Amino acid sequence: MLRDAIGDLELFIVGLTVSDSVMPKITVILDGPTGLGINECAMISRRLNRRIEERYGEDSVYSLEVTSPGADQPLTDPRQYPRHIGRSLDLKLNDGTEKTGVLTAATAEGVEIEEVIKQKTKKTTLPAAFYSFGDIKEAKVVISFK
């Protein structure tokens, strides 16, 4: 139903959860190459709501939230990375190391970042290094208010 509600929009599903409660809450998290606007969220919400009512009846009791990932949410799909090229990322790798640097490239296999090392009052930028998605445990965009 969700894929049908998305239709031909260039969006992809990042998350879908349904709570197990008296009044289930359906949470849909979507993203796209250029992000996701409020008008797209509203349109998909209406389409999905219509499909749920057609399938389960108009008397179904549930709440529906269609949203984009928050700025503080980790990147979970390789398709989310390209639009963040030029921004700083915090990577937590499976081996326990952490890397912070500017995202310079994103492919279907992984990402390339120019790691920034801070030493006392000095910052050093290392040459770009490649990290495969299989090696990345978590990646977050660094939010800067400068």
Side-chain angles (χ1 to χ4, degrees):
M1 286 188 279
L2 177 55
R3 289 190 206 297
D4 187 42
I6 293 171
D8 60 355
L9 297 174
E10 282 192 63
L11 300 173
F12 51 90
I13 302 166
V14 175
L16 171 63
T17 58
V18 180
S19 70
D20 186 23
S21 61
V22 175
M23 186 172 116
K25 179 178 181 180
I26 303 166
T27 305
V28 176
I29 303 173
L30 302 172
D31 209 346
T34 58
L36 179 69
I38 192 159
N39 291 335
E40 293 166 312
C41 287
M43 178 176 58
I44 291 167
S45 180
R46 284 190 300 273
R47 288 177 179 176
L48 184 56
N49 187 52
R50 198 172 314 119
R51 281 154 183 80
I52 291 170
E53 287 180 356
E54 287 169 0
R55 173 87 186 252
Y56 297 103
E58 291 182 16
D59 295 333
S60 298
V61 178
Y62 61 91
S63 76
L64 174 62
E65 178 183 15
V66 177
T67 186
S68 63
D72 61 336
Q73 295 298 306
L75 303 176
T76 58
D77 189 297
R79 295 173 287 183
Q80 290 179 282
Y81 288 82
R83 74 185 178 105
H84 295 291
I85 291 174
R87 290 182 166 168
S88 290
L89 290 185
D90 276 335
L91 298 182
K92 291 182 183 174
L93 303 177
N94 290 327
D95 66 6
T97 60
E98 294 185 23
K99 308 287 182 182
T100 300
V102 175
L103 177 64
T104 58
T107 67
E109 292 78 34
V111 297
E112 193 174 274
I113 67 165
E114 291 178 343
E115 185 179 3
V116 177
I117 306 289
K118 295 177 185 176
Q119 298 170 333
K120 294 185 181 180
T121 59
K122 194 168 118 176
K123 289 183 183 179
T124 304
T125 302
L126 301 177
F130 180 81
Y131 300 95
S132 74
F133 289 120
D135 294 334
I136 299 172
K137 183 177 184 177
E138 182 179 87
K140 286 188 175 184
V141 175
V142 176
I143 307 298
S144 175
F145 295 101
K146 291 182 182 181

